[in-house]
Amino acid sequence: MVFTSLAFFILFSVVYALILVFNLKIVREKLSEKTQLTLKHTILLIASYVFYGWWDYRFCFLMFALTFVAWLCAKNIDKNKHKKLFSVIGVVFPLLILGFFKYFNFFVDSFVDVFGIKSTSTLNIILPVGISFYTFQSMSYTIDVLRKNIKSYSFPDVALYVSFFPQLVAGPIVKASDFMPQLKKNEPLNLQDLSRGVQIFAFGLFKKIVIADNLSVFVDDVFEKPLAFSSISVILAVISYSIQIYCDFSGYSDMAIGVARCLGYDFIPNFNMPYISKNVTEFWKRWHISLSTWLQEYLYI
């Protein structure tokens, strides 16, 4: 399921309507604050798994496994039970899963090519959609608990953080210390968040549909047969491609941020006009900001 599909529009409308019902004054007066939050989180969690399972329901089991390991490790770290062991498991297990799905086919194919093996019965591993994003987030939760940036949360809350559908497929990568505290807020949906979220979503949709998708037609034609075009056309295609990948990626990020804002959650911007950067260092800080800050905080530091 993608943001530009009718299925997503229906899913979001149903989710928003259900949450809106529980925001009604007559309903809120009859339910405790804890119950209201539980119902809201349950709706979002179910919607997230429906959203992800739309591609292939089997991927949901993988995401569930990563979530469970992150929750279990963080819970024991918080209680100071075998802290070092669970710290290692909480980081190594997600990386092994990510490495297996991303590079298994590559290494097998390379082995076959090097040794000239003509026929094999090797597995063809399908790369799960968005696995990098929810893998990084599961690690973020474990590490943030280890660093005492946050306390361990209940399994449903961790599951919602890892699977939250607006950022599940293409980011932005949201740190646990930024998202988890927002789960404690019991603020009703409001028109201001909806208006702002729709504006951000519409801007991202424009970049994706109007700019990126139309440029891709020209770029694909030139890149497919570059010798059939003039040098000027090839140069323009290269420039157009740089605009296309920016509008495609940043447009999807904007749509994710917009959807989250409609639901009352704040994500950091993922792009900040990277092509006006004066050097590579500045470009790195402006392009895919959530990834660069994640790598800086959890890998470099």
Side-chain angles (χ1 to χ4, degrees), residues 162-177:
V162 174
S163 66
F164 192 43
F165 69 89
Q167 48 73 47
L168 181 58
V169 175
I173 303 170
V174 184
K175 294 184 293 185
S177 56

Side-chain angles (χ1 to χ4, degrees), residues 15-254:
V15 168
Y16 196 88
L18 287 174
I19 297 176
L20 202 60
V21 169
F22 292 115
N23 283 344
L24 295 175
K25 185 177 180 181
I26 187 174
V27 178
R28 291 174 67 87
E29 289 176 349
K30 295 181 179 180
L31 300 175
S32 65
E33 184 174 341
K34 183 178 180 181
T35 302
Q36 294 169 27
L37 277 175
T38 300
L39 289 171
K40 179 181 179 181
H41 295 169
T42 301
I43 293 170
L44 292 174
L45 181 58
I46 293 173
S48 297
Y49 270 81
V50 170
F51 177 85
Y52 192 59
W54 200 261
W55 281 282
D56 191 328
Y57 72 91
R58 293 173 296 179
F59 294 162
C60 293
F61 295 105
L62 175 63
M63 185 167 63
F64 181 88
L66 286 169
T67 301
F68 179 78
V69 170
W71 167 78
L72 182 65
C73 291
K75 181 181 179 182
N76 283 277
I77 290 171
D78 201 21
K79 293 181 178 180
N80 208 23
K81 294 182 178 180
H82 306 291
K83 190 173 181 178
K84 291 185 178 180
L85 173 62
F86 284 106
S87 299
V88 172
I89 295 174
V91 172
V92 173
F93 179 76
L95 288 178
L96 288 176
I97 294 295
L98 180 63
F100 175 76
F101 280 97
K102 275 205 173 263
Y103 300 112
F104 180 85
N105 287 336
F106 169 76
F107 284 117
V108 170
D109 292 341
S110 298
F111 180 84
V112 169
D113 291 339
V114 169
F115 291 95
I117 301 174
K118 294 182 179 180
S119 60
T120 63
S121 57
T122 56
L123 297 173
N124 184 22
I125 303 300
I126 300 174
L127 182 64
V129 177
I131 185 172
S132 297
F133 294 98
Y134 60 78
T135 297
F136 285 164
Q137 296 203 173
S138 69
M139 292 171 60
S140 169
Y141 174 69
T142 303
I143 297 172
D144 277 348
V145 173
L146 176 65
R147 292 177 173 176
K148 300 187 183 302
N149 292 335
I150 57 173
K151 291 286 187 178
S152 62
Y153 282 70
S154 66
F155 180 76
D157 285 347
V158 179
L160 178 57
Y161 161 64
V162 174
S163 66
F164 192 43
F165 69 89
Q167 48 73 47
L168 181 58
V169 175
I173 303 170
V174 184
K175 294 184 293 185
S177 56
D178 291 335
F179 183 82
M180 301 303 285
Q182 297 186 53
L183 294 179
K184 295 181 179 180
K185 299 178 181 179
N186 189 31
E187 299 177 359
L189 299 178
N190 58 76
L191 188 60
Q192 183 178 356
D193 281 341
L194 179 62
S195 175
R196 180 57 178 162
V198 169
Q199 290 178 44
I200 298 173
F201 183 91
F203 184 56
L205 186 65
F206 177 83
K207 287 196 289 185
K208 174 70 176 71
I209 300 297
V210 177
I211 301 178
D213 287 359
N214 282 289
L215 283 178
S216 67
V217 177
F218 166 64
V219 170
D220 291 345
D221 287 343
V222 176
F223 280 18
E224 185 177 358
K225 297 179 179 179
L227 297 179
F229 294 85
S230 65
S231 299
I232 298 297
S233 296
V234 174
I235 293 173
L236 288 175
V238 172
I239 296 173
S240 298
Y241 180 64
S242 66
I243 299 173
Q244 176 197 337
I245 59 174
Y246 165 70
C247 289
D248 201 326
F249 197 179
S250 68
Y252 200 95
S253 292
D254 288 343

